[in-house]
Amino acid sequence: MTKTVENAIQDGYADDFAWCYGCGRLNEDGHHFRTSWEGEKTVTYFEPSEKHTAIPGFVYGGIIASLVDCHGTGSCALALYRKNGHEPGDDAEVPRFVTASLNVNYVKPTPQGVTLKAVGKVEEIHPKKFKVTIEVFADDEICATGEVVGVVMPATFTTK
């Protein structure tokens, strides 16, 4: 059974912005990545299915990039939400971030059949822009590292 987090920041995303293929709770076909705090770091768990295969026994790198991406923007949202005095599960509007920059480094092949754990460290670099460094583990083995720069979603995204 896949390990998960309680009170994920994605649970608070407004319905109009909860459709991301990686982390959108309303996307039936999506991955449903869920990000929350674990101490002062952020965490997301994900167990790739067989359809996420690169070669037999190993996970496709694109799913790792997607995990890093959504974990990063979710971590940015968590950090700004906390900075504004809130925690996941509060009734306040949750900020939504988009990716300004994504960097993924594949350290070693990621094995199938284990739960992946993305761990993020958030660094604020501007009131509307955050950087998150991320490590992805398969069991206790690091398999990828990454960095996401997220920006608060521009108002133009809300214009229909």
Side-chain angles (χ1 to χ4, degrees), residues 5-10 13 34-44 70-89 94-97 120 122 130 132:
V5 297
E6 300 295 322
N7 295 319
I9 195 68
Q10 292 88 350
Y13 289 168
R34 297 173 48 79
T35 308
S36 196
W37 291 109
E38 187 173 271
E40 292 302 311
K41 294 190 177 183
T42 59
V43 66
T44 298
C70 287
H71 181 73
T73 57
S75 296
C76 292
L78 278 168
L80 183 55
Y81 203 53
R82 180 174 274 178
K83 180 180 177 182
N84 291 336
H86 304 288
E87 294 294 331
V94 173
R96 189 68 166 88
F97 278 73
V122 181
F130 293 78
V132 181

Side-chain angles (χ1 to χ4, degrees), residues 104-121:
V104 180
N105 300 300
Y106 300 96
V107 176
K108 64 185 300 184
T110 304
Q112 280 282 8
V114 299
T115 300
L116 304 181
K117 180 180 182 181
V119 178
K121 180 182 177 195

Side-chain angles (χ1 to χ4, degrees), residues 80-155:
L80 183 55
Y81 203 53
R82 180 174 274 178
K83 180 180 177 182
N84 291 336
H86 304 288
E87 294 294 331
D90 289 357
D91 289 337
E93 182 179 349
V94 173
R96 189 68 166 88
F97 278 73
V98 293
T99 306
S101 174
L102 170 66
N103 181 4
V104 180
N105 300 300
Y106 300 96
V107 176
K108 64 185 300 184
T110 304
Q112 280 282 8
V114 299
T115 300
L116 304 181
K117 180 180 182 181
V119 178
K121 180 182 177 195
V122 181
E123 301 176 38
E124 180 181 352
I125 53 177
H126 184 274
K128 293 185 177 184
K129 184 171 160 181
F130 293 78
K131 178 171 71 173
V132 181
T133 55
I134 298 157
E135 296 177 317
V136 178
F137 296 88
D139 288 329
D140 293 326
E141 297 274 335
I142 192 162
C143 55
T145 62
E147 179 182 281
V148 170
V149 175
V151 295
V152 174
M153 185 175 57

